[in-house]
Amino acid sequence: MRLSSYVSWLAAPSLAIAVVQKPKVVVSTFANLPGAVFYFEDSPIILLFDPKAGDVWRSVNDGQEWEQVMEVKGNAYDIIVHPFDNEKAILFTNGNQHWATNDKGQNWNIFEVEFPVSFRQSPMVFNANNTNYALYSGRCCDPGDTFGHSCVDKTYYTKDWFQSGVKFLLANTHGCLFANGNNVSNQRRVSSIFCIVDGNDKYPEHRKILTSDDFFGNSFEPKLDGYNTMKGLVGLASVTNFLIAAVRSAGTDDMALYISNDATNWDSAQFPHDHGGLKEDAYTILQSTSYSIQVDVLTTSPMGSAIGELFSSNSNGTYFNRNLANTNRLPRGVVDFERIQSIDGIIIANIVGNADLVRLNHKTTKKLQSKISFHDGKMDTWHDLRAGNMTLHLHSVTELVNGGRVYSSRSPGLVMGVGNTGDFLQDYTDGDLYISDNAGLTWARARKGAHKYEVGGSGSIIVAVYDEGIANHISYSKDYGKHWEDVDLNVDIHARLLTTTPDSTSLRFLLVGSGKNKKSHIFNLDFENVFEGRKCKLNTDDENKSDYEKWYARYDNDGSPSCLMGRKQYFWRRKMNADCYAGELFKEPSIVNETCKCQDEDFECDFNFVRDLDKKCVLAYGVTLPVPPSECNNPSDTYWGPSGYRKIPGNFCQEGVKKDRPIKRQCEYAISTPSTGKIVSKFSGFNSKMPVEYYYLENTESSSTEEETIIMMTENQKLFVSHDGGQEWKQILKNVKVIGIYPHPQQQHNVYFITNTKRIHYTTDRCHHFYEMDTPQSPNRKGLPFLDFHPRKNNWLIWHGEKNCIDPLRCHSNAYYTISGGKEWHSLKSYTGLCQWARGHLETISDKLIFCEHEAQQGDSNQITTELLSSSNFFIDEVKHFDRIIGFVTMQEFIIVAGVKDDNSLKAFASVDGSSFADANFPYGFNVPHQTAYTVLDSVTHSVFLHVTVNDRRGFEYGSLLKSNSNGTNYVLSLDAVNRNREGFVDFEKMQSLEGVAIANRVVNWKDAAKGEKKKLRTMITHNDGGLWKYINPPAIDSKGNRYQCSEDLKKCSLNLHHYTERGDPRHTFSSSSAVGLMIAVGNVGDVLKGLADGDTFLTTDGGFHWKEIRKGQYLWEYGDQGSILVIVDRTRPTDKVHYTLDEGKSWQEYQFGEKIKVTDISTVPADNSRQFLLWGHKEGEGEKFYTVYLDFKGITSLQCVLNEKKVGDNEKDDFYLWSPAEEENGHCLFGHETQYHRKIANHRCYIGRKLNRIYKTLKNCTCTAEDFECDFNFERASDGTCKLVTGLTPPDHEAVCDDKNVIEYFKSTGYRRLPATTCQGGTELDKVRSIPCPGKESQWKERHRIRGGFRLIMVIVVPFIAAVGIGYWISKRPLTSRFGAIRLGEEGDDGPLIRYLITIISAAIAMAIAIHSILSLLGSWVAREFTRTQRYRSRNFLFRSEDYSILDNDQGQLLGNDDSDEV
């Protein structure tokens, strides 16, 4: 290493000041203040970092002399000292070259990396057991990427401390750690690594955790809850001997913590039942012990004054108890909390004394108070700090003014702080220096005024420097602060840092200050002379002859040593008046422990127990206890349960009191009383005709609660809430006139209640508490959604208000936005239509991107179109995309716009980046000269399903179902003549639990329907995402065992189902996302769909391949416990019973719930994982009242299903088997791959309970077949099912794929294109015949396709001949059927290339009538005279449908103009 001469322009010559028996002071002057000062542990070597100059300096003698590290002169970016090896450190530059040392900086070795350091995660991760192992993370960004959307973090590893550079580990990382991440966790494999990585995209809610023992040569996802792999990983930490993983699921800001002691087995951390839950960026893992984790949790709004609550865990880190309320913290997570060093169980923390007032008004100034605990912080052991007869309060971590710990050092019992006596903590400059020599039990003022302070020589010297302004001297004490002497510095400074070696054994200190000339002065303070070299002597036999005293960490009031954490702890500590220095350099004082017998104070309240008025631990209100297996056969039985007490984690007491012994408890108060086999029901009546809307609030994997919350508004605007699935109801917001309810789609606990004024009432805890906010304007009356929620930023909202609406001609809507959750609103744009945040999987767009419909002629009430604008800076600047549109839709992967052409017909456009829009090219022959409405149906499989209305004659509507390519621009016909209704809803639905499965109803008499004949519908199903459609196979017999009179020709007889357009609540779907393979529907077997009254109820359990009739008549249905319970109820007549099955429809049972009601709806939680259901209906003759019937199926069984992943299906204790969707003739391949799902064994009587990741694994990608392809653009299905080029057109140019720099070839169009979502490989690849090299990739193309000699001739000549013979033979033996292509849809004799479309011209009068009707249907939820309220039900699927189903109609009735709208 090259070291510069000390004397330079940066550092002035040292000045030595020596006074007999006074400290030596050596000062060095630098141009800039250091950004960091690092000691190498157990050495006098210091590194000093100057971030302004980019320089690093090194001293080998505690700062007396400095030498510059020349290797990084001017290029230093940061320093990290190895936490587990006092020889090693890293110097970072801001480039690709960094420096490492393994000899305390004497020599530096350069190493090169691919990318500069990451600033999104720690750039270095260390291994405690092998200090040569380390991880480095760098960040790669595309040039010119303003927003950082292209940036990717990559992690590398070294096994030799960078001697041979680094090797690649993983890409797309968001934090990695070694399982041996600290010096306590030494029992784990040295190479075991955990990393958080991206899932299928860059969104945080899809991040996952991977682990590997061989540097990711092999890796897997650990199942943190024992059953499922987790998504939404947000953090990893190694805390003493615990590994902690933090998870936040989509749809909530609740966090779940998972804890592991061995890096293999994980458990969920459980907090008390009344705890509000962990929030992302709202909890802090504090300094913990090997026996307990300390967590402080934010309990106030993150936008206001931060207040927390302190919890500590049991010894395995899984159960947390509340320790201290109202802790003081900063919004960024810093907490006023410190453990006293070297002594067990003593903690000092600051609390907010006026917490209740601060919670009411976040602008209220916090008043802080200091507390101390001598029993590891457990509840009821916190006391005031005492200075004489006064209460003392000290400044803490949130006001850190010095380096290192705030209060304590490794000198036994010495604790210091700056503060004041009185009721509350005052300003820092109003404080004095206080010292305690008995570990915080009593305090005394040592110096007047605020000082920086430090301890050295194992307590022999205390140094202080004035910290309220200019200082020109330091003060020191040799007797624990009783007496002080001053030492002049001969220069005026503002003290910035006072420190010494980390173990506080040295007599040398380092003081950093800034002078009047803004230069930095660094002082070496050497106190070795003050003791004239005399070292303290220890005599354990006779303390009177010893310089040390036997000091116990705590004494009783009578002066006897007391037990602390189950043991007496003492040190041999230097006597206060001894004129000598204690200890040895770099050797910390030793501790001696004496074990105590257990006493009452060694125990605390167990999990979910609290102190009562008598200080006894009793069960918390509302909590029930678990019952051990095989216990409690009858409610009157007793069992051995928890006493309510537990020994404080880490307590060493033995024998004595046994307060944690189990005690006898009554079974009737337990959490799981024995199953009775019975269903429980309860009626609730409401004085209103009907519920206008109701919402279930979803729970996610990381939710802090399991309650089933339902919010309901009745027709007379009364609001009710139930937290137990509808068993009990409570009226809320009694005096508030609510016109709309908006649950937050990303935060399931948050709900907004809109009034007809500027005021919004809202809850953040599922309606347990309510708050208010004011918006800039009253809600709009133009049918726009009142609120729009940002898909990523939970506090970012858009409000659609109105202005000048007293005058209808001047009334217009304005948009406002907030990024503070409504605390502050800002104007976004005036004269707007719909404004929306861009959403979905548009990964490359700015978070601030907003699209707005805007009135081009502001104030013109006659304009019927708007222009489309966007902005990425809240409309400081804006971009106009279209002059005339009637609406736009933001889907998961696309933005679709319905533009208006000069002839007032529609034209669709699509964008995948939110910036550029391309024409939506419809297939040839689809010449609709006046397109009247679009319905955007789905975009979750990398393509758009778009329904284009062809016939808009009222009551006879239908259209064509088109499917796009991957960028939403080129569309092919998937299915023609698909039914829709006048509101724009379409008979099309995708199965939620299986990919690629969809059901649609087709108008088979489309020609005659266009002329006014009643529509005749038939149902079709696809299992390859719309590439192939066919009629549904009917069952052979009905539910009575009678055979259907049906031919075997599907074209003449099939199963037909009543669909989306006929549902009383359009959000009640055939399937459930948690019930794999199951669908229920009402329909009939025959040539067409008959009336609903002629329908019966059918079920499929294999994804729609086979169906059976389960009940005669029409029934409503609901799924429970993830498909293990199916409940149906008669919808046609009053009834007092439901039918249910526990074995997927093999057998059905009946339950009578009491009085008869006409059931109009049945509901449960959106995830369908509950065993509680709710019926909604009316009693005959009581038209002014409706009822709910609560049904609880939990009594049927208390046995939870067992899932054994390793031996699934082969274990007697396993209640699941592996299932793959399959049609016998097609094997188990669906959508290009074979996937296995967990399914409960139907006849096992158990409940699933926890949410399961039903996908076990994708076994393989299948070889391609015709089902993996659809017709390419400009091609159409011929009568034989093949794709033929339309006469007169040219094939599409596929060279655009070469825009991807990784692609070296493309293929000429064959007439087929691969389904965007299929994963098939090889086989019949209908889209690949002739390969062409991409421009500039000719050499790579030739290398890939190089075939030699005679083998090439065989491939070119012989193989095609053999294939032709084989195919000809296959065709001769098996006539072409619909399986070779889409079935031919021209049943009515039209042999033309495509159906001819009839366009109906609507007169101006009819158009105006439709517009008025549509506008009224969307006016919001107004009930005042000037408002019109659309009454509708809300169900479990209101969010599911709204995200994937949008309608754009040029009749000016925006029937579903945005994907968050939920009007029906």
Side-chain angles (χ1 to χ4, degrees), residues 686-716:
F686 302 88
N687 293 316
S688 179
K689 289 183 178 180
M690 62 186 302
V692 176
E693 52 192 347
Y694 64 82
Y695 300 93
Y696 281 84
L697 302 187
E698 180 71 285
N699 283 321
T700 64
E701 289 82 353
S702 61
S703 291
S704 60
T705 179
E706 295 182 0
E707 67 181 31
E708 297 182 10
T709 303
I710 313 172
I711 302 169
M712 171 184 63
M713 184 165 70
T714 65
E715 190 181 42
N716 51 11

Short mmCIF file of all heavy atoms in Angstrom, two decimals, residues 686-716:
data_model
loop_
_atom_site.label_atom_id
_atom_site.label_comp_id
_atom_site.label_asym_id
_atom_site.label_seq_id
_atom_site.Cartn_x
_atom_site.Cartn_y
_atom_site.Cartn_z
N PHE A 686 -83.74 -6.86 9.58
CA PHE A 686 -83.41 -5.46 9.35
C PHE A 686 -84.64 -4.76 8.79
O PHE A 686 -85.32 -5.28 7.89
CB PHE A 686 -82.25 -5.35 8.36
CG PHE A 686 -81.00 -6.06 8.82
CD1 PHE A 686 -80.80 -7.40 8.51
CD2 PHE A 686 -80.04 -5.39 9.56
CE1 PHE A 686 -79.67 -8.07 8.93
CE2 PHE A 686 -78.90 -6.05 9.98
CZ PHE A 686 -78.71 -7.38 9.68
N ASN A 687 -84.92 -3.59 9.31
CA ASN A 687 -86.11 -2.84 8.91
C ASN A 687 -85.84 -2.05 7.64
O ASN A 687 -85.74 -0.84 7.63
CB ASN A 687 -86.54 -1.91 10.04
CG ASN A 687 -87.03 -2.68 11.25
OD1 ASN A 687 -87.78 -3.65 11.12
ND2 ASN A 687 -86.60 -2.27 12.43
N SER A 688 -85.73 -2.77 6.57
CA SER A 688 -85.53 -2.17 5.25
C SER A 688 -85.93 -3.20 4.21
O SER A 688 -85.93 -4.41 4.49
CB SER A 688 -84.06 -1.76 5.06
OG SER A 688 -83.85 -1.21 3.78
N LYS A 689 -86.26 -2.73 3.02
CA LYS A 689 -86.71 -3.66 1.98
C LYS A 689 -85.59 -4.59 1.54
O LYS A 689 -85.82 -5.76 1.27
CB LYS A 689 -87.23 -2.88 0.77
CG LYS A 689 -88.56 -2.17 1.01
CD LYS A 689 -89.03 -1.49 -0.28
CE LYS A 689 -90.38 -0.81 -0.07
NZ LYS A 689 -90.84 -0.14 -1.31
N MET A 690 -84.38 -4.07 1.47
CA MET A 690 -83.28 -4.87 0.95
C MET A 690 -81.96 -4.21 1.28
O MET A 690 -81.90 -3.00 1.53
CB MET A 690 -83.41 -5.03 -0.56
CG MET A 690 -83.34 -3.71 -1.33
SD MET A 690 -83.68 -3.88 -3.08
CE MET A 690 -82.41 -5.03 -3.56
N PRO A 691 -80.88 -4.95 1.27
CA PRO A 691 -79.56 -4.33 1.37
C PRO A 691 -79.17 -3.72 0.02
O PRO A 691 -79.31 -4.36 -1.02
CB PRO A 691 -78.64 -5.50 1.73
CG PRO A 691 -79.32 -6.70 1.16
CD PRO A 691 -80.79 -6.43 1.22
N VAL A 692 -78.72 -2.49 0.05
CA VAL A 692 -78.28 -1.86 -1.20
C VAL A 692 -76.93 -2.41 -1.63
O VAL A 692 -76.68 -2.67 -2.80
CB VAL A 692 -78.22 -0.33 -1.02
CG1 VAL A 692 -77.67 0.33 -2.27
CG2 VAL A 692 -79.61 0.20 -0.71
N GLU A 693 -76.06 -2.60 -0.66
CA GLU A 693 -74.75 -3.15 -0.97
C GLU A 693 -74.14 -3.74 0.28
O GLU A 693 -74.44 -3.33 1.40
CB GLU A 693 -73.81 -2.08 -1.56
CG GLU A 693 -73.71 -0.82 -0.73
CD GLU A 693 -73.02 0.31 -1.48
OE1 GLU A 693 -72.42 0.02 -2.53
OE2 GLU A 693 -73.08 1.46 -1.02
N TYR A 694 -73.31 -4.75 0.08
CA TYR A 694 -72.55 -5.28 1.20
C TYR A 694 -71.19 -5.75 0.69
O TYR A 694 -71.02 -6.11 -0.47
CB TYR A 694 -73.28 -6.41 1.92
CG TYR A 694 -73.53 -7.67 1.11
CD1 TYR A 694 -72.54 -8.64 0.96
CD2 TYR A 694 -74.77 -7.91 0.52
CE1 TYR A 694 -72.78 -9.79 0.24
CE2 TYR A 694 -75.02 -9.06 -0.20
CZ TYR A 694 -74.01 -10.00 -0.33
OH TYR A 694 -74.25 -11.15 -1.04
N TYR A 695 -70.22 -5.71 1.58
CA TYR A 695 -68.85 -6.06 1.24
C TYR A 695 -68.26 -6.95 2.33
O TYR A 695 -68.41 -6.67 3.52
CB TYR A 695 -67.96 -4.82 1.12
CG TYR A 695 -68.40 -3.83 0.08
CD1 TYR A 695 -69.23 -2.77 0.41
CD2 TYR A 695 -67.96 -3.94 -1.23
CE1 TYR A 695 -69.62 -1.85 -0.54
CE2 TYR A 695 -68.34 -3.03 -2.18
CZ TYR A 695 -69.18 -1.97 -1.85
OH TYR A 695 -69.56 -1.07 -2.79
N TYR A 696 -67.57 -7.98 1.91
CA TYR A 696 -66.70 -8.73 2.81
C TYR A 696 -65.30 -8.13 2.71
O TYR A 696 -64.82 -7.81 1.62
CB TYR A 696 -66.62 -10.19 2.40
CG TYR A 696 -67.80 -11.05 2.82
CD1 TYR A 696 -68.95 -11.10 2.06
CD2 TYR A 696 -67.73 -11.81 3.98
CE1 TYR A 696 -70.02 -11.90 2.44
CE2 TYR A 696 -68.79 -12.62 4.37
CZ TYR A 696 -69.93 -12.66 3.59
OH TYR A 696 -70.99 -13.45 3.97
N LEU A 697 -64.66 -7.97 3.85
CA LEU A 697 -63.27 -7.54 3.86
C LEU A 697 -62.37 -8.77 3.91
O LEU A 697 -62.44 -9.56 4.85
CB LEU A 697 -62.99 -6.62 5.05
CG LEU A 697 -63.85 -5.35 5.12
CD1 LEU A 697 -63.35 -4.44 6.23
CD2 LEU A 697 -63.85 -4.60 3.79
N GLU A 698 -61.56 -8.90 2.91
CA GLU A 698 -60.74 -10.10 2.75
C GLU A 698 -59.64 -10.16 3.81
O GLU A 698 -59.15 -9.14 4.28
CB GLU A 698 -60.11 -10.09 1.34
CG GLU A 698 -59.23 -11.29 1.02
CD GLU A 698 -60.04 -12.56 0.86
OE1 GLU A 698 -60.48 -13.08 1.90
OE2 GLU A 698 -60.21 -13.03 -0.27
N ASN A 699 -59.25 -11.36 4.17
CA ASN A 699 -58.05 -11.59 4.97
C ASN A 699 -56.98 -12.21 4.07
O ASN A 699 -57.29 -13.00 3.18
CB ASN A 699 -58.32 -12.55 6.14
CG ASN A 699 -59.05 -11.86 7.28
OD1 ASN A 699 -58.76 -10.71 7.59
ND2 ASN A 699 -60.00 -12.55 7.88
N THR A 700 -55.74 -11.85 4.31
CA THR A 700 -54.64 -12.40 3.54
C THR A 700 -53.73 -13.21 4.45
O THR A 700 -53.94 -13.27 5.66
CB THR A 700 -53.82 -11.28 2.87
OG1 THR A 700 -53.22 -10.47 3.88
CG2 THR A 700 -54.72 -10.41 2.01
N GLU A 701 -52.70 -13.83 3.86
CA GLU A 701 -51.81 -14.68 4.64
C GLU A 701 -51.12 -13.91 5.76
O GLU A 701 -50.81 -14.47 6.81
CB GLU A 701 -50.75 -15.32 3.73
CG GLU A 701 -51.28 -16.40 2.80
CD GLU A 701 -51.90 -15.83 1.54
OE1 GLU A 701 -52.04 -14.59 1.46
OE2 GLU A 701 -52.26 -16.61 0.65
N SER A 702 -50.87 -12.61 5.55
CA SER A 702 -50.15 -11.85 6.57
C SER A 702 -51.08 -10.98 7.41
O SER A 702 -50.61 -10.16 8.19
CB SER A 702 -49.10 -10.96 5.90
OG SER A 702 -49.69 -10.03 5.01
N SER A 703 -52.41 -11.16 7.26
CA SER A 703 -53.34 -10.35 8.05
C SER A 703 -53.18 -10.66 9.54
O SER A 703 -52.92 -11.80 9.92
CB SER A 703 -54.79 -10.62 7.63
OG SER A 703 -55.04 -10.13 6.34
N SER A 704 -53.38 -9.62 10.34
CA SER A 704 -53.24 -9.78 11.79
C SER A 704 -54.51 -10.29 12.44
O SER A 704 -54.54 -10.54 13.63
CB SER A 704 -52.86 -8.44 12.41
OG SER A 704 -53.86 -7.47 12.15
N THR A 705 -55.57 -10.45 11.68
CA THR A 705 -56.85 -10.89 12.25
C THR A 705 -57.44 -11.99 11.40
O THR A 705 -57.16 -12.11 10.21
CB THR A 705 -57.84 -9.71 12.32
OG1 THR A 705 -59.08 -10.17 12.86
CG2 THR A 705 -58.10 -9.12 10.94
N GLU A 706 -58.28 -12.80 12.02
CA GLU A 706 -59.01 -13.84 11.30
C GLU A 706 -60.51 -13.56 11.29
O GLU A 706 -61.29 -14.41 10.87
CB GLU A 706 -58.73 -15.21 11.92
CG GLU A 706 -57.28 -15.65 11.79
CD GLU A 706 -57.05 -17.04 12.37
OE1 GLU A 706 -58.02 -17.64 12.88
OE2 GLU A 706 -55.91 -17.52 12.31
N GLU A 707 -60.90 -12.39 11.74
CA GLU A 707 -62.33 -12.09 11.79
C GLU A 707 -62.90 -11.95 10.39
O GLU A 707 -62.19 -11.55 9.45
CB GLU A 707 -62.57 -10.81 12.59
CG GLU A 707 -62.02 -9.55 11.94
CD GLU A 707 -62.25 -8.31 12.80
OE1 GLU A 707 -62.28 -8.44 14.03
OE2 GLU A 707 -62.40 -7.22 12.22
N GLU A 708 -64.15 -12.30 10.25
CA GLU A 708 -64.85 -12.21 8.97
C GLU A 708 -65.75 -10.98 9.02
O GLU A 708 -66.85 -11.02 9.57
CB GLU A 708 -65.65 -13.49 8.70
CG GLU A 708 -64.76 -14.72 8.57
CD GLU A 708 -65.54 -15.98 8.25
OE1 GLU A 708 -66.75 -15.86 7.93
OE2 GLU A 708 -64.96 -17.07 8.31
N THR A 709 -65.25 -9.90 8.45
CA THR A 709 -65.93 -8.62 8.54
C THR A 709 -66.82 -8.41 7.32
O THR A 709 -66.38 -8.56 6.18
CB THR A 709 -64.92 -7.47 8.64
OG1 THR A 709 -64.08 -7.71 9.78
CG2 THR A 709 -65.63 -6.14 8.80
N ILE A 710 -68.09 -8.04 7.59
CA ILE A 710 -69.04 -7.70 6.53
C ILE A 710 -69.57 -6.29 6.82
O ILE A 710 -69.96 -5.99 7.94
CB ILE A 710 -70.24 -8.67 6.48
CG1 ILE A 710 -69.77 -10.12 6.54
CG2 ILE A 710 -71.07 -8.43 5.23
CD1 ILE A 710 -70.91 -11.12 6.69
N ILE A 711 -69.56 -5.45 5.79
CA ILE A 711 -70.13 -4.10 5.90
C ILE A 711 -71.34 -4.05 4.98
O ILE A 711 -71.27 -4.43 3.81
CB ILE A 711 -69.11 -3.03 5.50
CG1 ILE A 711 -67.87 -3.13 6.38
CG2 ILE A 711 -69.72 -1.63 5.60
CD1 ILE A 711 -66.72 -2.28 5.89
N MET A 712 -72.46 -3.58 5.51
CA MET A 712 -73.70 -3.58 4.75
C MET A 712 -74.38 -2.22 4.88
O MET A 712 -74.40 -1.62 5.95
CB MET A 712 -74.64 -4.68 5.26
CG MET A 712 -76.04 -4.62 4.66
SD MET A 712 -77.16 -5.87 5.35
CE MET A 712 -77.23 -5.38 7.07
N MET A 713 -74.96 -1.75 3.77
CA MET A 713 -75.81 -0.56 3.80
C MET A 713 -77.19 -0.95 3.30
O MET A 713 -77.33 -1.55 2.24
CB MET A 713 -75.24 0.57 2.96
CG MET A 713 -76.07 1.85 3.05
SD MET A 713 -75.21 3.32 2.43
CE MET A 713 -75.20 2.98 0.68
N THR A 714 -78.21 -0.60 4.07
CA THR A 714 -79.58 -0.93 3.71
C THR A 714 -80.15 0.15 2.79
O THR A 714 -79.55 1.20 2.57
CB THR A 714 -80.46 -1.06 4.96
OG1 THR A 714 -80.53 0.23 5.60
CG2 THR A 714 -79.87 -2.08 5.92
N GLU A 715 -81.33 -0.14 2.29
CA GLU A 715 -81.98 0.79 1.37
C GLU A 715 -82.27 2.13 2.02
O GLU A 715 -82.25 3.17 1.36
CB GLU A 715 -83.28 0.16 0.85
CG GLU A 715 -83.92 0.94 -0.29
CD GLU A 715 -85.22 0.28 -0.73
OE1 GLU A 715 -85.99 -0.14 0.14
OE2 GLU A 715 -85.44 0.19 -1.95
N ASN A 716 -82.50 2.13 3.33
CA ASN A 716 -82.75 3.40 4.03
C ASN A 716 -81.46 4.00 4.61
O ASN A 716 -81.50 4.77 5.55
CB ASN A 716 -83.80 3.23 5.12
CG ASN A 716 -83.47 2.07 6.05
OD1 ASN A 716 -82.38 1.52 6.02
ND2 ASN A 716 -84.43 1.71 6.89
#
